[in-house]
Amino acid sequence: MKALVCVQPLDIMVEDRPAPVRSAGQVLLRMRRAGICGTDYHIYAGKHPFLQYPRLIGHELAAEVIEVPEGSALTVGQVVTVNPYIACGTCRACRRGKPNCCARISVLGVHGDGGMCEFLAVPESAVVDATGLSLDQAAMVEFLAIGAHAVRRAALASGETAVVVGAGPIGVGVALFARIAGAARVVLVDTRAPRLAYAARHFGFEEGVVADADLASTLSAMTDGEMFDHVFDATGNIHAMRAGLDHVAHGGSYTLVGVCKDDLVFADPEFHRRETTLIASRNALSVDFDHVIASIRRGDIPTDAIRTHQLTLDEAPTRMPELIAEADSVLKAIVTI
C-alpha cells in the first residue's frame, strides 16, 4: 500500500509498505481522507518532542469499513472516523473514564504509525460511526473534538463570555463550540490578521483582535476592564500562554488547549486575586466525538469553510512545505487517499 512517511525532519515521502492484516478484535479500514494538522507540520519540521522517525503520519481520519470481527455492529462499506488515542485501559486515568490522558497512551501518527495510508487496522473500540457525514467531514471530527472537549472541560455556560487565543483549526473549533454552548460573546485573537478576517467572513466571529504589545489593554477596553469569563489558549506558544492569565475575569477560568515544552509561570498574586480556575485540556473523549458528529449533522459546523485546501496523497510531499509557507490562508488541508 501507499503510505505517507516522514523519514526525518524536512524529509517526507510516499512509500510502499505491506498492507496490514486484521488481528482479532480489530477492524480493517480502507482509508479515504486524512486531515493535516499542526502535529503533522511539527513532525515534518522536527519540532515534536515525543516522536521517533521514521513515522507514518496522520490521525485526523475518514475511512470505509472493509473487514470486521464476528458479531460487530459495524458493517462493510460504512463511513467511519477513528479515535486515534489508543489507551491502555488499565491505568488510573483509564479506570476513572479518562482514556484521553491515559498514562501509557499511544496516539496514531505520533507514538505509533498513523493513517495517512491506504489501509489501517485498529481496535474496534477506536472506530466511530460517521454515517450521514461526508468523507471530508468525517476527517474533521477528531480536531473539532479537541475544541469541544476544551469547552466542556471549562464548563462554559450560556450567557458567559470567552476569548480564544489562536485562530488556527483548534482555536476555530474551540470558538465554534463555545458558541454552540451558548457563549454570549466569543472574541478571537491571533498574530495573523488574515486568519481573523477569514474567521469573521466565514464563521461570523466578527470580534477579532490582532495580538500585539497592546493586547491586554485592547481586551480590557472591549470589556470595560472586566475581561472574560473563559480564556482558551490554542497557540502552544509559551509567551501567549504566560500572558493569558491577564485576560481572565475575576472568578473566571483559563483553559490550556495548546501545549509546549517550556515552563509555564504565573504571578501568584494575580492568579489568586482572580480565584482563577486553571484547566489543562488534552485530546478528547468519545462523548466529544459524539457531540461533534451530532453538531455536523445538525448543520451547526460550517465544514465547507473549514476545508480550505485539498490534495492527494502523492502530492503531499511537495505540498507540505508549501502549506506551511501559506499558513495565513490555510485552515484545514484534507488529503484524498
Side-chain angles (χ1 to χ4, degrees), residues 155-186:
L156 188 152
S158 179
E160 294 181 325
T161 62
V163 62
V164 181
V165 184
I170 299 298
V172 166
V174 172
L176 288 167
F177 282 96
R179 184 163 64 192
I180 289 170
R185 186 181 195 185
V186 180

Side-chain angles (χ1 to χ4, degrees), residues 217-253:
S217 59
T218 300
L219 295 177
S220 179
M222 293 172 68
T223 57
D224 295 327
E226 292 190 327
M227 299 311 236
F228 294 85
D229 300 317
H230 300 279
V231 177
F232 298 89
D233 178 87
T235 68
N237 178 285
I238 190 61
H239 303 294
M241 293 166 74
R242 287 171 178 163
L245 178 62
D246 293 338
H247 315 326
V248 180
H250 283 242
S253 75

Side-chain angles (χ1 to χ4, degrees), residues 8-294:
Q8 59 186 354
L10 305 180
D11 182 6
I12 191 165
M13 62 184 295
V14 175
E15 289 185 357
D16 286 325
R17 288 196 170 190
V21 176
R22 184 181 66 84
S23 300
Q26 287 188 321
V27 175
L28 184 63
L29 302 174
R30 173 62 171 95
M31 308 311 298
R32 294 298 186 187
R33 301 287 189 277
I36 301 177
C37 82
T39 297
D40 300 319
Y41 294 128
H42 286 153
I43 292 170
Y44 173 77
K47 296 180 180 179
H48 199 290
F50 308 122
L51 185 124
Q52 292 183 333
Y53 297 90
R55 178 62 67 225
L56 196 172
I57 65 172
H59 62 271
E60 299 179 3
L61 307 174
E64 294 171 352
V65 175
I66 56 173
E67 287 183 18
V68 299
E70 185 177 353
S72 173
L74 298 168
T75 58
V76 174
Q78 183 176 358
V79 173
V80 296
T81 186
V82 176
N83 183 331
Y85 323 126
I86 309 302
C88 73
T90 59
C91 72
R92 184 161 184 81
C94 287
R95 297 198 308 270
R96 296 178 65 209
K98 299 181 179 184
N100 62 304
C101 54
C102 166
R104 292 177 286 276
I105 198 166
S106 178
V107 180
L108 297 178
V110 180
H111 304 95
D113 282 340
M116 215 171 286
C117 53
E118 292 182 300
F119 299 96
L120 181 68
V122 294
E124 184 175 8
S125 59
V127 180
V128 181
D129 177 23
T131 302
L133 274 59
S134 70
L135 290 168
D136 280 359
Q137 288 173 328
M140 299 181 198
V141 170
E142 187 273 339
F143 90 83
L144 288 169
I146 291 174
H149 183 71
V151 171
R152 190 168 58 82
R153 287 274 290 152
L156 188 152
S158 179
E160 294 181 325
T161 62
V163 62
V164 181
V165 184
I170 299 298
V172 166
V174 172
L176 288 167
F177 282 96
R179 184 163 64 192
I180 289 170
R185 186 181 195 185
V186 180
V187 174
L188 279 175
V189 173
D190 201 279
T191 57
R192 301 176 185 270
R195 281 187 172 179
L196 298 173
Y198 191 89
R201 186 166 61 252
H202 293 279
F203 306 114
F205 295 116
E206 297 181 357
E207 291 191 290
V209 179
V210 176
D212 58 21
D214 297 322
L215 176 59
S217 59
T218 300
L219 295 177
S220 179
M222 293 172 68
T223 57
D224 295 327
E226 292 190 327
M227 299 311 236
F228 294 85
D229 300 317
H230 300 279
V231 177
F232 298 89
D233 178 87
T235 68
N237 178 285
I238 190 61
H239 303 294
M241 293 166 74
R242 287 171 178 163
L245 178 62
D246 293 338
H247 315 326
V248 180
H250 283 242
S253 75
Y254 186 19
T255 302
L256 299 169
V257 192
V259 63
C260 72
K261 58 184 179 180
D262 299 294
D263 292 336
L264 183 57
V265 178
F266 297 130
D268 184 65
E270 289 301 316
F271 184 76
H272 271 81
R273 192 162 67 94
R274 292 165 167 79
E275 197 183 44
T276 310
T277 299
L278 181 63
I279 302 165
S281 182
R282 187 181 185 195
N283 299 328
L285 293 168
S286 59
V287 65
D288 304 306
F289 279 73
D290 292 343
H291 182 29
V292 170
I293 291 170

